[in-house]
């Protein structure tokens, strides 16, 4: 923990005028090993990090602004993390689908499944991660540019590991199709595609709330797109649709590892949704009271 005191005055008015990003730059010039992205600047040693857009005269400081610094560790961009963690499952799943050598018995190398649901599952899985990659590049606007470097190892272990586990069983030569056959598969495909479109619609709606280069936060409301009308009841419908997609994929494949991945994902997304919901309630006094974090009227 490091301690520093800074007072910056306007040369004409003598008013304190200092954006936190300027403090970060000043600190970086003195300590080059701590670039701005890995700096946590706070007013209290155990308090929350201040935002770049915070202005000193709006903070509870006296004549001298005293900051406390904490090193957040090596950082990596969100875009890099997302591209890495999403490319892995795409490639890994296809390796199992094409049955490359050393996965199954040698006699099955580069053979294809006789069950059409296996091919459909591969298309759906690939579509999901290609969609995620494209959204990362062209849709998402991140409020924070970086995250700790260690997160990429944790995230990749999660996504890549589950992709391999699911793909192994779905593409296994002894895999058996769902018990209710084509009806179950078709219903699952409808659920999957519906939720994929819904998830994309929510991501676009959230993007449109934030102008390029801005960190402005607004209450998301339904748009003319019917898939966004769920905002009337849920704070984080992107997670609701994500859950629906994986429930559809579980129904389609009737595979236990997929069901477990869906359950684990649901638990994690619920944690994120509850945190986002609390943040909305705290920040906006007029936040719609009927909304639940992730499941309407339930959770």
């Amino acid at each position: 923990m490091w301690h520093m005191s800074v007072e910056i005055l306007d040369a004409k008015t003598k008013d304190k005028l200092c954006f936190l990003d300027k403090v970060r730059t000043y600190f970086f010039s003195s300590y080059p090993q701590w670039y701005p992205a890995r700096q946590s600047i706070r007013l209290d040693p155990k308090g929350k990090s201040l935002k770049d857009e915070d202005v000193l005269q709006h903070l509870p400081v006296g004549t001298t602004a005293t900051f406390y610094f904490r090193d957040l560790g090596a950082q990596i961009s969100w875009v890099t993390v997302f591209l890495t963690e999403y490319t892995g499952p795409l490639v890994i799943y296809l390796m199992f689908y094409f049955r490359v050598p050393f996965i199954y018995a040698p006699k099955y190398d580069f053979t294809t499944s006789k069950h059409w649901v296996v091919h459909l599952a591969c298309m759906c899985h690939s579509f999901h991660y290609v969609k995620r990659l494209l959204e990362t590049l062209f849709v998402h606007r991140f409020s924070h540019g970086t995250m700790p470097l260690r997160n990429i190892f944790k995230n990749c272990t999660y996504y890549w590991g589950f992709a391999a586990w699911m793909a192994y069983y779905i593409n296994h030569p002894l895999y058996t199709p769902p018990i209710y056959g084509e009806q179950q598969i078709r219903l699952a495909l409808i659920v999957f595609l519906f939720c994929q479109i819904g998830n994309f619609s929510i991501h676009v709606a959230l993007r449109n709330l934030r102008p390029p280069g801005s960190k402005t936060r607004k209450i998301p409301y339904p748009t003319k797109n019917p898939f966004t009308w769920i905002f009337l009841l849920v704070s984080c419908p992107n997670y609701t649709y994500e859950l629906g997609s994986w429930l559809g994929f579980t129904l389609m494949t009737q595979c236990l590892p997929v069901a477990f991945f869906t359950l684990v994902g649901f638990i994690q997304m619920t944690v994120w949704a509850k945190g986002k919901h609390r943040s909305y309630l705290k920040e906006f006094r007029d936040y719609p009271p009927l909304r639940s974090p992730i499941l309407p009227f339930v959770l």
Side-chain angles (χ1 to χ4, degrees):
M1 183 69 68
W2 293 77
H3 169 274
M4 60 180 290
S5 296
V6 178
E7 184 182 55
I8 301 180
L9 305 179
D10 185 284
K12 295 182 179 179
T13 65
K14 303 301 181 183
D15 291 334
K16 290 188 288 293
L17 185 62
C18 180
F19 287 92
L20 192 63
D21 61 346
K22 304 299 182 184
V23 175
R24 293 187 191 280
T25 303
Y26 164 79
F27 189 84
F28 175 58
S29 66
S30 299
Y31 303 95
Q33 70 271 33
W34 292 311
Y35 45 89
R38 69 184 292 171
Q39 298 173 19
S40 171
I41 306 294
R42 53 192 77 184
L43 291 174
D44 183 88
K46 297 182 180 179
K48 293 184 178 180
S49 297
L50 297 174
K51 300 176 182 178
D52 281 349
E53 59 269 24
D54 285 335
V55 185
L56 284 184
Q57 60 259 44
H58 298 158
L59 298 175
V61 295
T63 304
T64 301
T66 302
F67 297 98
Y68 295 87
F69 162 78
R70 177 164 292 176
D71 181 17
L72 296 176
Q75 299 288 297
I76 188 171
S77 75
W78 279 83
V79 172
T80 301
V81 173
F82 277 14
L83 292 179
T84 304
E85 68 186 34
Y86 295 156
T87 301
L90 181 63
V91 174
I92 291 171
Y93 194 100
L94 290 174
M95 290 173 62
F96 284 88
Y97 174 75
F98 289 113
R99 295 176 179 171
V100 299
F102 308 110
I103 294 179
Y104 304 114
K107 65 179 180 178
Y108 296 115
D109 289 352
F110 297 112
T111 59
T112 57
S113 174
K114 62 182 179 181
H115 305 299
W116 70 280
V117 66
V118 172
H119 308 298
L120 179 63
C122 180
M123 287 188 286
C124 289
H125 188 275
S126 299
F127 174 82
H128 175 74
Y129 281 102
V130 168
K131 167 183 165 292
R132 283 195 170 190
L133 288 168
L134 293 176
E135 286 176 336
T136 299
L137 292 171
F138 303 111
V139 177
H140 293 320
R141 286 176 178 154
F142 302 100
S143 56
H144 300 287
T146 64
M147 67 167 70
L149 178 62
R150 61 181 178 275
N151 283 12
I152 194 171
F153 301 105
K154 178 179 64 177
N155 292 13
C156 288
T157 298
Y158 172 77
Y159 282 105
W160 295 16
F162 265 116
W165 191 28
M166 292 188 295
Y168 176 82
Y169 286 99
I170 296 173
N171 297 288
H172 198 284
L174 300 180
Y175 171 80
T176 55
I179 189 170
Y180 294 107
E182 287 193 14
Q183 287 185 325
Q184 179 176 338
I185 296 170
R186 293 182 192 280
L187 174 62
L189 178 61
I190 292 172
V191 172
F192 177 84
L193 292 177
F194 179 87
C195 290
Q196 286 288 285
I197 295 171
N199 180 265
F200 174 75
S201 299
I202 298 301
H203 286 161
V204 171
L206 292 174
R207 169 194 168 87
N208 292 337
L209 281 180
R210 179 176 293 160
S214 168
K215 295 185 178 180
T216 303
R217 285 167 55 88
K218 301 177 182 177
I219 299 176
Y221 286 105
T223 67
K224 294 180 180 180
N225 182 343
F227 285 97
T228 68
W229 295 353
I230 192 175
F231 268 126
L232 293 170
L233 301 175
V234 174
S235 292
C236 300
N238 51 321
Y239 296 146
T240 310
Y241 282 124
E242 182 78 6
L243 172 63
S245 293
W246 286 107
L247 286 174
F249 196 70
T250 301
L251 185 65
M252 178 188 299
T253 58
Q254 198 169 296
C255 183
L256 187 59
V258 179
F260 188 69
F261 177 70
T262 302
L263 176 62
V264 174
F266 172 57
I267 293 172
Q268 179 61 74
M269 287 187 292
T270 299
V271 173
W272 290 336
K274 285 185 172 181
K276 189 76 170 179
H277 184 72
R278 284 193 301 268
S279 177
Y280 280 141
L281 290 173
K282 183 178 179 181
E283 186 170 355
F284 304 107
R285 293 183 179 180
D286 57 341
Y287 193 72
L290 286 180
R291 294 188 188 181
S292 302
I294 188 170
L295 297 179
F297 310 114
V298 178
L299 187 65

